[in-house]
Amino acid sequence: MTVVGARPQFVKLAPLSRALRRHVREVLVHTGQHYDREMSDAFFSELSLPSPDRHLGVGSGPHGRMTGRTLEALEAVLVEEAPAMVVVLGDTNTTLAGALAAAKLGIPVAHVEAGLRSFDMRMPEEVNRKVTDHVSDLLFCPTPTAVRNLAREGIRRGVHRVGDVMADAVRAWRRRAQRRPRAIEGIAPGAYYLATLHRQENADDPRRLADVLGALSALRHPTVLPLHPRTARRMEALGLKAAGLLRLVPPQPYLEMLRLQAEARAVLTDSGGMQKEAYLLGTPCITLRETTEWVETLRGGANRLAGADPRRIARAVAAVERKRPHWDPRRTYGDGHAAERIARIIAAAVRPR
Ligand code: UD1
């Protein structure tokens, strides 16, 4: 049983589900953490994802309520379906609830994207990553760093370095992304920055939110900002508006985001997945956080940490404009076959003896 619920999980699910279904029967559960058409359905149709067998309809809420509701609903489904294994992906509240619900029922857990650490326990994602890893039986690590992080916490059994499923997705879809007509008018390839902003530590802190928006509004090229509903709501509540060459657009589907990233002068983001996608697509990234769990992207200046400080953000953009960094993105996140490796290991683990 695969449990997904939030946008980045739908991207990871695309290569994974395809591979899993070549080897085992997959029951797909959508928790409903993300429910807007643009945040969920658009991904299922564009990536031809199988329809969920179960939809829990959990919706938004504070962390405890969301995780609690998911746990409760999922427990009932797990008892009914009695899967041989539960597969969770990434680091969202859906990941945590899926892993906990299964572990409490004695059902083995497989965690895809195991071993990532930002070493900042104030991030809800770091809590989710740690707890999930510690109750997992199979831990699928994208990189050697992730394997080392787990070893440092005493986790050595069931650890497999397989590469990264998001890298599988980039390889599979980048050409198709480049062929489709442009969805946003008035921006030419190489003439704009792409920004995203949704992390709790940025979106829910009025000062940081105003600082980042100010920094983006001051950039000298047009900046496209597909706006996450959380950030949109905070901006509205605080009366914050885009200024300068900053352009707000609705959340974009996956293929459009790949294309926008590939053709941008630079990506400015607080997303984890986009740091990696920008790296794989050869676009410099400026990360609007103090830490990153994707430490490989920092090598050679491909990615720079700038936090929410307008001066640091401006300096990082200037550095990238002065001398565009070059790096070889091949292999860092695997060879594009992570999902197939994961599926084989899972199939071997659940096969009746
Ligand atoms: C979640 C993940 C985060 C991931 C992100 C990708 C956790 C703790 N965080 O953050 O790691 O990077 O997904 O997007 O799980 N909302 C809507 N419509 C939706 C979804 C959300 O309006 O379809 C609004 C709601 O006001 C909600 C808020 O966004 O309260 C936050 O949503 P939530 O799922 O709690 O966290 P994300 O910020 O999306």
Side-chain angles (χ1 to χ4, degrees):
M1 179 182 289
T2 312
V3 181
V4 295
R7 189 166 56 175
Q9 280 150 354
F10 309 143
V11 174
K12 293 165 201 173
L13 180 68
L16 186 65
S17 183
R18 204 168 281 183
L20 276 175
R21 284 169 193 233
R22 281 196 286 267
H23 298 274
V24 293
R25 185 166 86 84
E26 181 191 44
V27 174
L28 183 60
V29 178
H30 189 320
T31 63
Q33 176 172 352
H34 287 174
Y35 43 84
D36 284 357
R37 197 193 57 75
E38 289 156 339
M39 299 290 286
S40 176
D41 294 357
F43 287 74
F44 277 80
S45 54
E46 184 175 55
L47 299 174
S48 307
L49 294 174
S51 304
D53 298 288
R54 301 290 193 113
H55 200 296
L56 308 182
V58 167
S60 299
H63 291 277
R65 195 196 307 159
M66 187 198 282
T67 312
R69 279 188 180 156
T70 315
L71 263 176
E72 192 174 350
L74 205 51
E75 185 170 62
V77 170
L78 286 170
V79 168
E80 263 177 59
E81 297 275 354
M85 180 167 276
V86 167
V87 184
V88 294
L89 307 97
D91 56 13
T92 71
N93 289 343
T94 289
T95 316
L96 173 68
L100 271 183
K104 290 275 182 173
L105 289 171
I107 301 168
V109 178
H111 184 203
V112 176
E113 248 183 39
L116 296 194
R117 296 291 181 267
S118 66
F119 302 100
D120 178 359
M121 281 297 272
R122 288 169 308 179
M123 290 175 69
E125 291 82 4
E126 184 77 352
V127 177
N128 294 345
R129 287 191 276 261
K130 276 197 154 177
V131 177
T132 301
D133 283 341
H134 282 265
V135 299
S136 290
D137 301 86
L138 289 178
L139 299 102
F140 295 113
C141 295
T143 60
T145 313
V147 175
R148 273 197 300 277
N149 288 341
L150 290 178
R152 242 181 252 137
E153 292 175 22
I155 304 175
R156 292 190 177 81
R157 276 181 53 188
V159 175
H160 300 268
R161 182 181 142 203
V162 290
D164 186 83
V165 286
M166 278 184 91
D168 290 11
V170 169
R171 275 180 202 240
W173 275 289
R174 66 184 295 176
R175 247 181 248 123
R176 214 173 104 199
Q178 226 102 38
R179 279 200 305 264
R180 66 206 292 279
R182 284 193 179 78
I184 301 172
E185 287 183 4
I187 50 157
Y192 65 93
Y193 300 115
L194 176 69
T196 74
L197 190 63
H198 76 279
R199 288 286 172 165
Q200 179 175 292
E201 61 264 35
N202 286 331
D204 289 6
D205 180 329
R207 175 82 197 271
R208 285 179 76 94
L209 182 57
D211 277 354
V212 173
L213 289 168
L216 297 178
S217 298
L219 296 176
R220 297 224 186 100
H221 292 278
T223 302
V224 179
L225 173 57
L227 209 53
H228 187 288
R230 169 187 214 127
T231 317
R233 238 163 261 169
R234 298 301 297 165
M235 283 177 68
E236 203 182 291
L238 296 165
L240 293 169
K241 296 213 161 47
L245 299 176
L246 178 58
R247 213 169 125 190
L248 306 179
V249 299
Q252 297 296 308
Y254 175 67
L255 293 181
E256 186 58 28
M257 284 307 280
L258 276 189
R259 183 203 198 106
L260 283 168
Q261 289 183 83
E263 295 181 346
R265 297 177 81 82
V267 167
L268 296 97
T269 187
D270 60 6
S271 150
M274 279 181 57
Q275 295 172 48
K276 201 168 44 184
E277 286 169 348
Y279 178 87
L280 293 166
L281 293 164
T283 303
C285 184
I286 291 140
T287 295
L288 307 169
R289 285 171 43 188
E290 311 299 336
T291 58
T292 179
E293 50 285 356
W294 300 105
V295 288
E296 301 78 15
T297 60
L298 297 173
R299 284 184 215 136
N303 183 15
R304 289 159 201 267
L305 297 176
D309 175 355
R311 272 173 311 188
R312 274 171 73 198
I313 296 170
R315 269 205 303 274
V317 173
V320 165
E321 288 290 355
R322 212 168 30 244
K323 189 167 181 294
R324 200 182 153 94
H326 285 284
W327 65 93
D328 182 358
R330 284 171 304 180
R331 298 279 158 178
T332 309
Y333 291 110
D335 58 4
H337 300 288
E340 180 59 25
R341 267 183 217 110
I342 292 170
R344 282 176 197 223
I345 295 166
I346 288 177
V350 301
R351 207 167 282 140
R353 282 167 228 267

